[in-house]
Amino acid sequence: MQSTDLGNKESGKIWHRKPSPATRDGIIVNIIHNTSDYLPKVLRFLNVAFDSSGDCLLAGDHQGNIYVFDLHGNRFNLVQRTAQACTALAFNLHRKSEFLVALADYSIKCFDTVTKELVSWMRGHESSVFSISVHASGRYAITSSSDTAQLWDLDTFQRKRKLNILQSVGIQKVFFLPLSNTILSCFKDNSVFAWECDTLFCKYQLPAPPESSSLLYKVFAVTRDGRILAAGGKSNHVHLWCLEAKQLFRIIQMPTKVRAVRHLEFLPDSFDAGSNQPPPPLVKVIEDLPKRKVSSGDLKMKVTSGRVQRPAKSRENKMQTRILKQDLTGNFENKENELSDGLNKKRLQILLKGYGEYPTKYRMFIWRSLLQLPENHTAFSNLLDKGIHVAFLNLEKTYPIKSRKLLRVLQRTLSALAHWSTIFSDTPYLPLLAFPFVKLFQNNQLICFEVVATLIINWCQHWFEYFPNPPINVLSMIENVLAFHDKELLQHFIEHDITSQLYAWPLLETVFSEVLTREEWLKLFDNIFSNHPSFLLMTVVAYNICSRAPLLNCDLKDDFEYFFHHRNNLDISAVIKEVYRLMDTTPTDIHPDSMLDAFVALTKGQYPVFNQYPKFIVDYQTQERERIRKDELDYLRERQTVEDMQAEVDQQRVEDEAWYEKQEQLRKAEETRREMLLQEEEKMIQQRERLAAVKRELKVKEMHLQEAARRRLLQLQQEQREMELRRLDDEIERKNLTRNQEAVAKEMREDADACRRKADLEEHMFHRLIGMDQTQNQKTQKREEAEEKDLHLKSEKKASTLSEASRKWFLEKEINDALHAQHACNKVVPRCYTERVASSCLPRNSELNGISAVESSTQSSLNQRKAYWDSMEPDLMARVRNLRQRLATQARNRCQTPHLLAT
């Protein structure tokens, strides 16, 4: 046995190696769901549901994770996270990918396993939903909670019915019986009721279990054929009920170690016709049904645990088996007048004769019982799945019906009939025949189809023997009965050339729906369905006889046609009474019941084959129709080709016309453009003339401007040359002044050096003489000489300072005079040049510093140099005067130069 942990995976494989069932318990795989959180835990699966094929199943855990397991494809997928615990699941809906899930908030949701989207959300329960049962067609569902059960339409997801009960009696389970329209409701007080799905009419109630049994039903199971119900609970007993006989026919006792039954399920078998019998090796019959009357104590049988051997075959066992079968079938067999729902046909007929019609509330239930409808959901679904028949694709064109729903139901019903038998695709009056039943059963298409099919099989016998003509044989029966009961009326018809195809066939093909109101029609068919199929033919005769007075007054054929296609002032009760009289008084040799078979119900499971028609004619018509269809297709193809060619020609013509029109428009546009171009050219010529005049004016202005610019340029060039000349003069003067300054400085340095040498020599000689003359008086006069020398030195220093200040003042005065003289010459010499000259005429700071150093070094011999400086002063003054003259001369020359250039 393999084990698969889903974990946090959303998809994967169910098993990773070829599965093999365990030898002990038959388990193939064990699926668990562990979380991979910090504290891992196991998520419990609460509900499981298989689909209709049994290849896929749904499973939901208590956290709302819903997985789909594909056993055939070995895959699982997480299809929904509902975030709350699921309390019930259903996976056998009409749309195979959808499923229902009941949640902890009392709601029911429909999801799609492919798109994983929410399809619908249904609310209505006030407590937890613990059961979901889906109808065999997949179009209806019942949801059950402890206080109510609700019936839902899965096409519109609207609630159709609601079953409320007393709080003291809770619901145990409500579910559909397989392949039927019956709802079984089981309550906590062990009561079991069967209800009609459409009307919720109670069909029957199972009797109470034996008083000796203390079993309270908790779980239930039904065989696929819907005949046997198994019920179990908190006991080791299982009760088997026969739903046809509505009685308990067996009690199974499980081993003593079994204390409660938690789940029941019948094992499927392909060869038991849905009866789901238990396998013989697993069951051992201890007590069988005795031949005497069955009691509760005689129904018990025991089941041993484990596998047991098959009983040996013996005549006694065979005899017991035959007796059991004979006894059961004898109890379950329906008599001629016993209907399947517990009704008696004779009693219904007595009730009908007394009241004239059935109660409106129970009419549909009685009709379905009278017609013994099998409700073959699967077979009918197969017919519907074939789609709309090609013969009824354009039904709305022939029969325009205002209600789209009614038209769609009629189209589906007719298509199902055509798929059931080929002849119905060519029957022109089939829509007229089926329409009143479609209108009556438009909310239950299965019942509608089966009613119409039962009507055709029984009340339309021999109608198709002369197909495609009206049933001449049936019309002859009607004419014979009319001739026997009212020769005068028949003679009147013959005299005015009115045949049975006019006074009988319109009533039959429309089943009186054109000439009767809804209430009259329902009343009539209460009697038709309760009697022999010949009752319908007798109704045609009775209708004519009861209308003999107006018919005898008609002379025109159009009046007869109008009469049999419109409602008339006729008492339907009188017509029905006349029908019963005709049924009783018509001779046997002409009575239709001698030529028509008795009522036969549709077979259960599959519908019978209907071939009561001339097959060669139908085949021929089918071939002809196919040939006509092909011819029509060819014609349509050729017509389409011609239309395409015509469309192309029209398109070409339109294109040609558009092209010619466009060419004409282009020509007109071209002429317009030419005129516009001529106008534009004229305007251009005028503009050119004006432009030429403007150009001339601009040329003159440009010449004047060029001349003015040329003059300005020449003047600018002249000024630039003058400035360049002045700059060159300044450069020459600067260079001359630099050379003169260097020569003066050189001369001054040479004079200073000579004076210094001379002074040194004189000082040396002076010291020598003093040393020689004052050797004797040196010591006595030394202090006085020192003081006198010091005083003399201070005076000489002051005199030297004054002399230096006077010399600087003189030089500055001379320089200022020279600058004033230069400024007087039209201020030609720049200020910077004057400053340079003035700076060049003054001694440099370095020279003055040098002179000051020399003077400070010779302070001790100022007395000796005083005479020297006095002798040198006239010479220096003469040099200064010469320098001033040269500067004045150069200034005059510069003042005269610009005038010479300008000249």
Side-chain angles (χ1 to χ4, degrees), residues 70 92 141 179 212 303 310 361 390-391 449 460 478 504 509 537 555 579 606 649 699 787 800 824 879 889:
D70 184 2
N92 52 342
L179 304 177
S212 60
V303 179
R310 290 180 181 268
K361 182 177 180 180
V390 66
F449 170 81
C460 298
I478 295 173
E509 66 179 357
L537 305 183
D555 297 329
V579 175
Q606 294 292 334
V649 171
K699 190 69 175 177
E787 295 177 355
S800 177
R879 291 182 181 181
T889 302

Side-chain angles (χ1 to χ4, degrees), residues 136-176:
S137 64
R139 300 181 186 274
Y140 304 99
I142 294 177
T143 57
S144 304
S145 60
S146 60
D147 56 350
T148 183
Q150 300 184 17
L151 176 64
W152 303 86
D153 187 342
L154 297 184
D155 288 331
T156 62
F157 294 99
Q158 298 295 322
R159 185 173 63 188
K160 295 187 62 178
R161 296 285 190 273
K162 183 178 181 181
L163 175 64
N164 292 321
I165 63 168
L166 297 176
Q167 295 182 355
S168 58
V169 182
I171 294 177
Q172 199 68 54
K173 190 174 183 182
V174 180
F175 55 94
F176 284 103

Side-chain angles (χ1 to χ4, degrees), residues 251-483:
I251 298 177
I252 301 177
Q253 182 179 355
M254 307 300 291
T256 55
K257 65 179 182 179
V258 176
R259 290 182 294 179
V261 177
R262 303 296 297 272
H263 185 77
L264 283 173
E265 197 72 37
F266 281 97
L267 299 180
D269 194 331
S270 302
F271 304 100
D272 60 1
S275 60
N276 299 135
Q277 297 295 332
L282 298 179
V283 178
K284 183 177 182 181
V285 179
I286 303 301
E287 298 181 10
D288 210 338
L289 290 177
K291 297 182 180 179
R292 55 184 175 86
K293 185 177 180 180
V294 179
S295 64
S296 62
D298 298 329
L299 296 177
K300 292 185 179 179
M301 61 182 298
K302 295 182 180 179
V303 179
T304 59
S305 60
R307 289 186 175 270
V308 297
Q309 299 296 329
R310 290 180 181 268
K313 292 185 179 180
S314 63
R315 293 188 60 188
E316 182 180 359
N317 290 336
K318 291 182 180 180
M319 183 61 67
Q320 290 180 357
T321 303
R322 285 198 298 269
I323 293 174
L324 174 62
K325 183 176 180 181
Q326 181 179 359
D327 183 66
L328 289 175
T329 55
N331 289 332
F332 300 158
E333 185 179 1
N334 294 321
K335 298 181 180 179
E336 182 179 358
N337 293 323
E338 290 291 334
L339 302 178
S340 59
D341 292 313
L343 301 178
N344 187 279
K345 189 173 183 180
K346 291 294 184 181
R347 293 180 180 177
L348 289 176
Q349 289 175 346
I350 294 172
L351 179 66
L352 182 62
K353 288 182 179 180
Y355 291 96
E357 60 181 338
Y358 292 127
T360 304
K361 182 177 180 180
Y362 303 108
R363 175 176 281 122
M364 299 299 104
F365 170 70
I366 294 174
W367 280 18
R368 291 163 64 177
S369 300
L370 289 171
L371 300 179
Q372 302 178 26
L373 302 182
E375 300 183 15
N376 297 327
H377 293 275
T378 304
F380 179 67
S381 298
N382 293 334
L383 294 176
L384 286 182
D385 291 341
K386 295 181 180 179
I388 303 300
H389 198 277
V390 66
F392 304 107
L393 287 174
N394 299 320
L395 184 65
E396 66 276 3
K397 296 180 181 179
T398 310
Y399 298 95
I401 301 175
K402 185 176 181 180
S403 174
R404 298 297 303 172
K405 176 184 178 182
L406 195 59
L407 176 64
R408 186 167 60 251
V409 175
L410 177 62
Q411 203 173 27
R412 290 179 179 175
T413 304
L414 297 178
S415 299
L417 290 170
H419 291 310
W420 175 41
S421 182
T422 309
I423 191 173
F424 297 127
S425 62
D426 294 326
T427 305
Y429 56 86
L430 186 63
L432 299 174
L433 181 72
F435 180 74
F437 298 99
V438 170
K439 193 172 183 180
L440 187 63
F441 297 100
Q442 57 181 318
N443 293 325
N444 196 329
Q445 300 179 39
L446 170 64
I447 300 300
C448 177
F449 170 81
E450 293 186 349
V451 168
V452 176
T454 305
L455 178 72
I456 292 174
I457 290 178
N458 294 280
W459 283 271
C460 298
Q461 297 181 42
H462 309 295
W463 280 28
F464 306 99
E465 293 179 357
Y466 292 89
F467 184 83
N469 299 315
I472 306 299
N473 51 348
V474 176
L475 297 178
S476 299
M477 299 180 198
I478 295 173
E479 188 171 352
N480 292 335
V481 176
L482 182 61

Side-chain angles (χ1 to χ4, degrees), residues 52-81:
S52 56
S53 65
D55 293 334
C56 294
L57 63 93
L58 280 176
D61 58 28
H62 68 275
Q63 286 191 354
N65 301 311
I66 301 178
Y67 291 85
V68 60
F69 296 90
D70 184 2
L71 302 180
H72 183 72
N74 188 24
R75 298 289 299 176
F76 73 87
N77 288 284
L78 177 65
V79 295
Q80 199 56 235
R81 297 181 189 271

